[in-house]
Amino acid sequence: MRDMRTLQVVDENSGKSLGSIARGEDGVIHTDGIGQAIFEQVQGGLGWDEQESFDALVDGGWSNGYVSVRPAVPAAADD
Amino acid sequence: MKTLADLSYDELLARAAAVGDLPQLRVDVSPLTEGGKRWWTKGEGLKKWATKLHPWTALYHEILQWADMTPAYAARIASAWYHDVFGHWPGEHSHKGKPAHGHRSVGGDGVEFGMVAVTANVWLRERANLFLLDGLPDLPDGEPMGDLDDDTLALLAALAELDIELDHTRSFDPNEHKRYPKGHPLAGRFRPMVDLLKMAIVDFKDGKGKGKDKHPFEKFTRPQLMNAAKARGIKLERGEDRDSIANKLLLDLAPLSKKPDLKADLKDNPAKLDDRDLRDLAAEFGIDHHGKTRAQLLAAIRRKKKAEEAAKALPAKELPPIPAMAKLDRMPVAKLRKLARDHGIPEAGVDRWDLAIDIRKKARAHEAAVEAAAKKQQFANLDKMPIGDLFLLARRHGVDAAELNRRELIAALKVELAPRGPGDASKFHVTAKGLESLQNAVEHGTIVKESTFAHGAIGDTRKRKYADGTELVWKRTNKVGQQDAEQLASLTARALGLQAPRVYRNHPNEINMEFVHGEVAMDHRKMLAMGWNVEDIPEELVSTKQGRMMGLLDQLIVNSDRHNANWMISEGGNLHPIDHGYTFGNRPGHKLRDAGKAQYVRSGFAKHYVESAQFGYAVHGWANNDLTKADVAKIRERLVALKADFAKLGRNDWHEFMLERLEAIGQHATGRKSQLLPSLVE
């Protein structure tokens, strides 16, 4: 099952996770690893606020062709 | 008890002196005492505010413009003058035209402006209930307007400023208004209370931003809100509750409008748009600005704008539209299941998250099917396609559908969807030399494998493999500037000898980039050894010739995104810069300026060229670097050779900026050993 509140930053070549971007229940964005830099890149490029940028990432993802952001697949379901 | 209003002017001055404000007041007040108030309340100045929809607000802003005036003073004075002119207090609608009786009024005929100012100042200083407005007439609901405390004055100031800003179709911009203006006694200091309120109000009304879910007046008491409402002339019912008053205050503001945008200028004042504005607009509408004159570009933008408006005016489809994923995420599960049923998506036994994703998949599948149908059989299917799908295709491919009938729209789509030939690339490339293999694959090859990595508002990114083995990264975005930056940064990098992927382009919104076989820096063993650091780079890489050229590239193109997912390491340790969409100041809020000035660029390689603080973004200036003077001369020669490539895309300003920047860096070149790599620009 996919978790739409957590986005994973994935190396498309190795399949490894390089970080994450998540939105908490309170709407606060949390990032890990390279997630912060990519989130800033996306947000700065779009000129949108955090929530709009996160929504756009959830909806269509982001990629430079080598690293991508997409909804995470958690190991265990939480609902 | 004798209140301030009973005091003579001299007594007020004495009182002011006692609280320590006299020196300033004497200077500030005396010029106005002579005729200022008379001019505003009886003379020419009267028409500047008394005839406005919100006279108090208009007057408040006129007063606020004077030097040394704070919002609190201005509000107080505005109230007093308003009373002088209209014979009642601002909140006293039903008494309009009737003199107040049985109560004292401050700022009556015999009171000069100076006196009011002193009164206000003393009041603010003493912060006591001496009071200026202690005797206001009772209002119809039997609730007299009370003392305006500092918080209420701040609220009034915020609402009044928003009145003006919204009237001018300009919403509050914290960057513009965050500090007191020049000439103000508090010039340069932040204005937290008024501005925070304004931001909270704008967020709440606009339904966006951090304050969208929090009522901006949450912390105000009923009396405060009631006083503010009355001061703004809002009629209240007897015993009206707090929430209702708060809502009336919000409704009293003009509807929020967007900042004056380029689109507004396009309609009302196109002469105001400079070339850069036009390019931005063109990019926003997905129009290729290359090779167009200003007049042609303006005409194209106008046509596209009409097309968008026409597309929006299309009748609603039978099925409910599928919202973005984020909205689905927040949608109640029952509504989600209904949406799934409406679209024929099985929902039984599927949890809500997977269901949301299935719904979005359905939406994308529809778009893909429409596109596939269009491309099949030499576009014969376009003739049978519903008009809604034709518009969908038009939007996806940037076809201007304004004023086109069905037949014309189909013809335009056939042109857009027809396979592109090598001739189209000549709009973007001075020469195809060095791009032959890419061109051959893109123009004549067959895609045997395609992986879509992203497909949405941010852009469309795919990895494609062609039958001849060519692999490339294909990117589409509606921002032409990003594609220009990708193309020109690649050429610049290659001129510096860096193995940046070549870029082949035959469409303004699309680029084809060579695929780099290597590891993303972040995932490289040397980086992993440093432990998840997203920007730091091992010295053994930074200090190589390639590392120095990476830094120079990032300085020249002002790269704000060289984090460790935006460069690669290939076998043999070669470094490959990738992803240059946000360079050359090409992102919202950024502009190319001060080419000769050292500035922060987000790149672990750039440290060779600037003196910066150990932490943070502070850059103190250019640092001496290891390039030799001969290196700089050679690099300049290579970059000058790219002039035609920049000109081809209408980016002469980027080229000039880059050379100017190299000049500044070159002045600090103190190396003795060449750091040059051989140029890769063919």
Side-chain angles (χ1 to χ4, degrees), chain A residues 1-2 4-5 11-12 14 16-18 33-34 40-41 44-45 55 57-60 63-66 68 79, chain B residues 325-326 351 353-354 357 360 364 453-455 461 515-516 523 532 534 561 563 565-566 579 582 587-588 602:
Chain A
M1 189 191 74
R2 287 145 293 198
M4 291 189 300
R5 293 197 183 90
D11 181 337
E12 291 290 356
S14 66
K16 274 194 273 183
S17 170
L18 302 179
I34 199 78
E40 283 173 12
Q41 174 179 350
D55 288 350
L57 281 173
V58 170
D59 196 26
S63 180
N64 61 9
Y66 305 89
S68 303
D79 62 352
Chain B
M325 189 64 120
D351 71 63
W353 311 126
D354 278 354
I357 289 178
R360 279 304 297 172
R364 287 196 195 145
F453 294 149
H455 174 59
T461 308
F515 183 77
V516 177
D523 207 12
W532 290 114
V534 298
D561 280 312
H563 52 69
N566 277 343
D579 203 351
Y582 299 138
R587 59 193 296 174
R602 184 176 200 165

Side-chain angles (χ1 to χ4, degrees), chain B residues 422-481:
Chain B
D424 295 307
S426 63
K427 292 178 190 165
F428 307 98
H429 299 281
V430 173
T431 171
K433 200 176 169 193
L435 298 170
E436 295 87 350
S437 61
L438 271 178
Q439 184 176 42
N440 192 47
V442 172
E443 306 295 0
H444 310 293
T446 307
I447 299 172
V448 292
K449 189 178 177 190
E450 182 174 82
S451 310
T452 301
F453 294 149
H455 174 59
I458 303 170
D460 195 344
T461 308
R462 303 176 192 184
K463 183 184 172 189
R464 286 176 171 169
K465 185 171 184 180
Y466 286 82
D468 67 354
T470 304
E471 287 180 285
L472 54 83
V473 174
W474 175 87
K475 266 194 193 180
R476 182 184 170 91
T477 160
N478 61 1
K479 294 180 176 162
V480 176

Side-chain angles (χ1 to χ4, degrees), chain B residues 378-393:
Chain B
Q378 298 297 311
F379 314 114
N381 285 351
L382 283 178
D383 299 319
K384 298 173 189 165
M385 199 172 268
I387 186 74
D389 287 348
L390 288 175
F391 272 105
L392 177 71
L393 272 177

Side-chain angles (χ1 to χ4, degrees), chain B residues 42 105 149 158 197 207 217 234-235 244 325 389 407 514 520 526 595 605 619 648 662 669:
Chain B
K42 292 177 182 168
S105 66
D149 60 15
L197 270 167
F217 305 149
I234 298 170
K235 190 175 179 183
S244 170
M325 189 64 120
D389 287 348
R407 188 176 47 78
E514 274 182 321
V520 174
K526 286 181 181 170
F605 293 104
V619 166
K648 186 84 181 172
L662 178 67

Side-chain angles (χ1 to χ4, degrees), chain B residues 441-665:
Chain B
V442 172
E443 306 295 0
H444 310 293
T446 307
I447 299 172
V448 292
K449 189 178 177 190
E450 182 174 82
S451 310
T452 301
F453 294 149
H455 174 59
I458 303 170
D460 195 344
T461 308
R462 303 176 192 184
K463 183 184 172 189
R464 286 176 171 169
K465 185 171 184 180
Y466 286 82
D468 67 354
T470 304
E471 287 180 285
L472 54 83
V473 174
W474 175 87
K475 266 194 193 180
R476 182 184 170 91
T477 160
N478 61 1
K479 294 180 176 162
V480 176
Q482 279 186 27
Q483 309 297 41
D484 287 354
E486 287 276 17
Q487 188 184 336
L488 295 172
S490 164
L491 280 173
T492 305
R494 294 181 72 79
L496 298 180
L498 291 165
Q499 299 187 30
R502 292 180 183 85
V503 173
Y504 178 73
R505 195 169 169 201
N506 60 5
H507 189 277
N509 299 102
E510 297 171 12
I511 48 170
N512 300 278
M513 296 178 286
E514 274 182 321
F515 183 77
V516 177
H517 291 272
E519 284 178 290
V520 174
M522 181 75 188
D523 207 12
H524 192 268
R525 59 185 163 74
K526 286 181 181 170
M527 306 298 292
L528 291 175
M530 296 189 70
W532 290 114
N533 199 313
V534 298
E535 284 175 26
D536 285 350
I537 304 163
E539 196 57 33
E540 61 181 286
L541 292 178
V542 177
S543 295
T544 59
K545 283 185 178 179
Q546 288 191 54
R548 288 175 203 283
M549 286 303 142
M550 288 277 276
L552 182 59
L553 171 70
D554 290 337
Q555 281 292 353
L556 293 177
I557 65 178
V558 198
N559 190 353
S560 54
D561 280 312
R562 181 74 67 215
H563 52 69
N564 288 340
N566 277 343
W567 58 284
M568 314 269 295
I569 307 176
S570 64
E571 217 168 303
N574 285 319
L575 312 184
H576 305 259
I578 58 167
D579 203 351
H580 299 112
Y582 299 138
T583 55
F584 294 110
N586 187 41
R587 59 193 296 174
H590 288 233
K591 279 199 172 181
L592 284 185
R593 55 174 177 260
D594 297 334
K597 189 179 169 189
Q599 57 182 285
Y600 170 77
V601 297
R602 184 176 200 165
S603 166
F605 293 104
K607 67 175 189 178
H608 289 297
Y609 303 94
V610 287
E611 294 279 2
S612 54
Q614 192 175 1
F615 302 105
Y617 304 133
V619 166
H620 303 312
W622 295 112
N624 287 340
N625 58 67
D626 291 339
L627 298 174
T628 66
K629 295 289 183 193
D631 288 346
V632 175
K634 188 70 189 170
I635 290 168
R636 182 177 172 77
E637 191 183 304
R638 293 176 183 176
L639 296 183
V640 167
L642 298 178
K643 186 174 181 181
D645 297 277
F646 279 76
K648 186 84 181 172
L649 303 182
R651 300 295 185 179
N652 298 309
D653 52 338
W654 292 5
H655 189 251
E656 285 162 19
F657 175 90
M658 195 168 67
L659 289 179
E660 221 178 298
R661 205 150 172 77
L662 178 67
E663 178 71 27
I665 292 171

